[in-house]
Amino acid sequence: MLLFALTNYAQKVTIVDLQTNYPIENVNVYNKDKSKVEVTGKNGTVTLKGFNFSELIYVSHSSYQTEKLTLADLIDKDFTIKMVNEKILKEVIINPLREDVLESIQTNRIEQITEQETQFSNPATTADMLQQNAGVLVQKSQAGGGSPVIRGFEANKILLVLDGVRLNNAIYRGGHLQNAITVDNNILKNTDVFYGPGSVVYGSDALGGVIHFHTKTPNPTQDDSLQIKANALVRYASASNEKTGHADVEFVNKKWGSLTSFTYTDFDDLRMGKNRLHGYDDFGKIFNYVQTNNNVDSVLINPDVNVHKRTGYNQIDVLQKVVFAPNKYVKLIGNFQYSTSSNINRFDKLNEYRNGQLRFAEWYYGPQNRLLGSLKLALKGKKELFDFGNIILAYQKIDEDRISRRLYDSQRRTREEDVSVYSINADFSKNLSSKHRFYYGAEFTYNDVQSSAYNQDINTLSISNESTRYPDGGSSISTMAVYLSYSREINKKLNFNIGGRYSHFTNKSSFIDTTFVSLPFDEIRFNTGSLIGSLGLTFKDESGLSIEGILSTGFRSPNVDDYGKVFENDGFVVVPNKNLRPENIFNGELNLTKKWIKDEKQVVRIHATAYYSMLTNAIIRRNFSLNGQDSLLYDGETARIQANQNVSLASVYGGVLGGAINFTSYLRLRGSVTYTKGRDLTNNEPASHIPPLFGTVGLGFATPKFHVELSNQFNGKKDISEYASGSVDKPSEATVDGTPAWNIFTFRSSYQLTDNVKVQLNVENILDTHYKQFASGISGAGRNIIISVRSNF
């Protein structure tokens, strides 16, 4: 019977995570002399052909403890190997090399969204993917968008990074930023969310935190044979009639690797939930919409008030990576990414009323084009100056256009922004001993912004001048920075961390045409520097208790959007301000984690975070006067003048409580809740972007083939008295009392149908509840049935 099992069945082995029962990809299975090597695929399976009954088999993966066993052991284990994730036994976090995972000391709280978690949640966009993370709230102004909020910080106060390259550029705005959707979540390996200031490592903009997206990278094999892997996905979602198709293919041999990825997504109009359990019967309903035929506008009655008319769009994402590894010490990675979309209607503008009438017939973003090309040199080996090093050269090209036309007006306004970004990052680490580690690096970036605008009559096609959004003479921002961080293991329980960074900024913008807005200057120049630092102390003991204390500072230098923008919103017109200075943050926080581990398996994990942040020279939009006037005629309407200004003091504080309980190897309960409070101390009023209480709780059951979870996502009420002044928090999109509390239930499931095919069925917002995220211009999706099929070979 034993011989029969070995020859007919036992050679096929499934390898899964001990904690989650997720299959593990890229596990190496080999004998002692490595003359026989097999690697698991997406489904975590491997066929052990040619292995002898008596020889020892090694099972290894960079993120798991290596296992040693025989074929006889496999029979006892039902041909299933459950590997222990290193994170359970020790904290594995992201080090300052931006992309590499090392066992290091980092006091910032970090959450990682894995590829498996992303696939299981089945998000339509990367913004939706972020929403699943316990400490991230996502605001939306339209269906094609998503602006992450961390600790009450949003838009250009959150740093987005992709494969070690910062995405924040000179026109990342301070209101709500929708750029996260240009990253394709179908090709992400994982996403790291850093909470709190990350300026020592990442520089400007990392006030509230850092979101670092890591795309997949092909890894050359250990021999000369050519290996080919491919993945495909088809998905349908009912709430927006979403159709998604994705495919990627990977070729690798001993020195070379190639990964090609393509994703196409198409969305129709988004349907919101119809059950208004919050008690506001008309909240969010869409009664009318505009339709234009032969250049004639008509206001029509919406046949279904729960459908967001004109919110559909489509998107294409392409990635190409090439890896060359001439030896084990050097790796060269070429990375090309391109994302483009159809026109994307800005729904909150299309649904904006003025004097009882819809205000716009057209308001949309032109195709959102993002191109990134980078070349990374990864080095390792015991050198005098470093053990590990990354050097990344990158270029980005971003097109951002806004097109609008008022109802019954023949003039269509087009404002076009073109941004080119050049950057060089160099990051290194050096171990002086097992207890002393240094990180150091340098960064250079250059942003070039060109802004143009014109009016076109839709009937005669005649073109006339129009005011630009940003300085029409062009703008540039250059940055240079160096940083140094030191980590010291005092003893087995206590670690010390200290770091500092100096950054220098040079900004220049020129104004040529002052016909539309008369400014008392024709040029804005900045030449500033910032010195910041961080200090951390970490205590960890063998019982699973971890206590981390952090004192840190951060900064954000004004960009072109802060000091040079002209735009109108909700009756306010924002004008340039040449007197802006960098805003700074002083942060203190305490992180506590307790794990109960039994038989190398985490049974219970509880984590809690409390923080207090003080902002000085905080850049906040406030009423302003220009040439002695408090109002301005702009785009044909009189609007109250505002400008971004440095407010003396503002505070943000809050906390997070979360955890997980593993009742058995298959049954797991998880949850978290986030509380945030913010205040403009100078003007004694609420700070903007501060979300209400929010969180999630979920109960899941998982086996190597089957995974199911029922979860509840909830938000507390945001009272209208807690909204900031002006239009940033969008009080016009709330009820007279503010944003109502809400909660939705979601069911998710996946089943490994065959070795190469997985099917998924999700039902989001099971009760079809109506809800709207704080400060959003569009309601959340109603009951959403998602069906997807994933395959690989």
Side-chain angles (χ1 to χ4, degrees), residues 79-194:
F79 312 112
T80 299
I81 302 173
K82 296 189 175 184
M83 299 187 73
V84 178
N85 195 320
E86 292 283 4
K87 288 185 180 181
I88 295 175
L89 304 179
K90 61 184 81 175
E91 290 298 321
V92 179
I93 60 82
I94 309 305
N95 80 344
L97 295 189
R98 298 171 184 254
E99 288 196 88
D100 300 322
V101 179
L102 296 176
E103 299 167 14
S104 177
I105 306 303
Q106 178 77 27
T107 47
N108 286 72
R109 177 179 164 236
I110 302 171
E111 295 286 346
Q112 187 173 85
I113 306 173
T114 66
E115 178 186 5
Q116 292 89 348
E117 290 169 333
T118 298
Q119 289 186 0
F120 184 64
S121 63
N122 233 343
T125 69
T126 299
D128 294 330
M129 179 201 73
L130 291 172
Q131 184 68 66
Q132 73 175 315
N133 192 283
V136 178
L137 180 144
V138 175
Q139 179 275 351
K140 290 187 178 183
S141 297
Q142 67 270 347
S147 183
V149 183
I150 301 177
R151 293 188 175 181
F153 294 91
E154 187 182 359
N156 57 23
K157 293 178 175 60
I158 296 292
L159 181 63
L160 303 183
V161 182
L162 178 59
D163 291 334
V165 180
R166 56 184 294 129
L167 295 182
N168 292 40
N169 58 57
I171 64 170
Y172 262 39
R173 53 191 180 273
H176 308 290
L177 198 67
Q178 313 298 325
N179 300 60
I181 70 163
T182 66
V183 177
D184 181 11
N185 69 80
N186 294 293
I187 200 63
L188 290 177
K189 185 64 178 176
N190 55 63
T191 300
D192 302 309
V193 182
F194 296 71

Side-chain angles (χ1 to χ4, degrees), residues 406 413 633-638:
R406 287 198 174 87
R413 294 177 173 86
L633 183 65
Y634 184 76
D635 280 357
E637 294 183 356
T638 300

Side-chain angles (χ1 to χ4, degrees), residues 209-229:
V210 180
I211 300 175
H212 194 156
F213 304 104
H214 303 267
T215 60
K216 298 177 185 177
T217 300
N219 291 311
T221 61
Q222 298 179 356
D223 54 53
D224 291 323
S225 64
L226 178 65
Q227 296 185 10
I228 303 174
K229 298 179 182 179

